[in-house]
Amino acid sequence: MIILIAIVGFTYHADARNEKKIKSQIQKVTVYTSGAQVNRKASYAVEKGITELIIEGVSPNIDPNSLQVQATGDIIILDSKYHIFYPEPDVVKNGNNVMPKKILQEIMALEDSLFDLSYDITEVQYKIDILNNEKKIIENNGSINGTGKVRDSLELLQDAIKFYHEQMMKINKELLTYQKNITLLKKEQKRMNKRLTDLQNYNTNNNYQHGQNKPPVHQVIVTVSSETNVTGRIKLSYLVSQAGWVPMYDLRSSAADNKIDLTYKAHVFQNTGVDWKDVRLNLSTNNPYANKTKPTLNPWYLDYYTYRNDGYSNYYEPGISNTATGAPSMEAKEEEYKKFNMNKDDFDAQTADNFTNIINTLLSIEYEIDLPYSIKSDNEKNMVLVNTKTLDTEYMYYAVPKLDLAVFMVARVTNLGELNLVPGKANLFHEGSYLGNTYINPSVMDDTLDFSLGKDPNVVVKRTLLKNDSKEKVVGEKIEKTFAYKIEIRNHKSSTIKLIVQDQIPVSRNKEIEVSIEDLSKGELNEVNGIINWNARIKSGDKKEYDIKFKVKYDKTQNINLAIY
């Protein structure tokens, strides 16, 4: 008896826990392309024994599996978990009448149970419907109802009867079980509804009323053990959904300086249920919700009338980049100020990108913004300046006179891999004028990117069909058509330009259609797609000419798409 008392006493002591609510605040948020990791900090003071530290105000969109807790002080962290606390609604008093707490709790329990029960009934009903549909499929099959070819074979008929017997017995047995379950569930539902109605009538007769339901409180509970009274700090981090950021770029070009200024911005949004007030932001290119499992190829079997391919679909994970980029200095803009007769000291305010550090992790890039930001939980986009960079640029001209008798100015940027960019829209500006927008996608393009800056009226292009050289004649069973064009480009600018001209010849996809080339004026031909490229440097006032001539021979009884333009 003495031993038993001692054991009971020890169990009671070990299970006796103190609860203590502590206030916390968000210190830092790492925003991913989808989701965000929230870092909170708090101070605590616990007495000897086991204490549950309750931290409230966390997001309802928390991923409990991502919860991490660290603490200072001489304590042992026994457990940490996410918990939802449902406060009891306030009881509305009517004179001296107060709704008994026992009745209030029973009403709340009945309402919760009826809610769950309705889904249980629906789930069982779905199973019953599926089984009934299976019965109809079997009964309507030609082998069963006698409309199929099975009636001509006694052996096949016996197999069909055996299959029908086994399947119908199995289905009917499952149906009986589910019908019994749904009957019991509905009986229980009816009993609960009656009890709930009785309690509500009792409240009405006694002038009792429900108070307003309080919203649930989302908590993190950290259980700690201490041998003495201890104070310290506690840090916790967790992943939340309903947050993210979208990259945005501004590209500002100036032909006089042969450069493009790239401004890297982020539109940060969140609807986590908790406002972020004066927090440090990190922007990460990682997506914690993306598939992290490597693909595995399984055997690919081939057989008649069957096909199987068990491979996983391809997925993309950002590659590793080892280049860090710093913020630009104020001296880099001195020449720009001189153009407007301004001193650099006139514009000495720093921009937010001066407070951005780039951190290269193993699988992603993080931009550490060393400025406090406040972002409300309203799903609105908030602009955060990430970085600025001056890019060395080569300006050239580009013309496709077959499609457009205009010459376009193009800015070519190289070494894009060093910029740690992610796919996003870009606004284009040239000499202070807005040109439109484009899309930057480093994952699908090479290390060079061309930006079209619009048409230049000072470079004129002309494409002419040479009718005297373009002929058509019949050679035996074939029609032979000859096409001849002349392309002329004249530079009216005051400086030499670099120009790329493109045209094309048709590509045959039928061996009976023959395409032969007579003249390309030393253009570079891509034999796969038929595109011709000429690269030229044209001095001010000079003119360049290119000739194209080719023949197409095909069956005179056939028609092909040889529109002349």
Side-chain angles (χ1 to χ4, degrees), residues 531-550:
I531 303 297
I532 310 164
N533 281 284
W534 292 276
N535 294 279
R537 297 183 69 87
I538 307 176
K539 296 180 179 180
S540 175
D542 279 3
K543 174 182 175 182
K544 282 280 185 179
E545 294 183 352
Y546 300 107
D547 292 318
I548 306 173
K549 191 175 182 180
F550 59 91

Side-chain angles (χ1 to χ4, degrees), residues 333-370:
K333 301 182 180 179
E334 184 173 357
E335 294 298 326
E336 182 177 350
Y337 301 145
K338 288 181 178 179
K339 292 193 300 181
F340 298 97
N341 297 320
M342 299 178 181
N343 297 319
K344 65 179 182 179
D345 296 334
D346 296 336
F347 294 91
D348 57 354
Q350 299 185 76
T351 54
D353 65 285
N354 293 106
F355 298 87
T356 301
N357 294 321
I358 300 179
I359 305 169
N360 290 272
T361 63
L362 187 61
L363 294 175
S364 64
I365 302 295
E366 280 192 16
Y367 300 93
E368 188 178 57
I369 315 298
D370 196 22

Side-chain angles (χ1 to χ4, degrees), residues 4 8 29 37 54 64 71 144 164 177 212 219 248 255 337 393 410 427 552:
L4 179 62
V8 172
V29 178
Q37 179 170 295
I54 301 174
I144 303 299
Y164 177 82
T177 301
Q212 292 291 329
Q219 305 172 331
M248 198 72 186
Y337 301 145
T393 307
V410 174
N427 297 316
V552 179

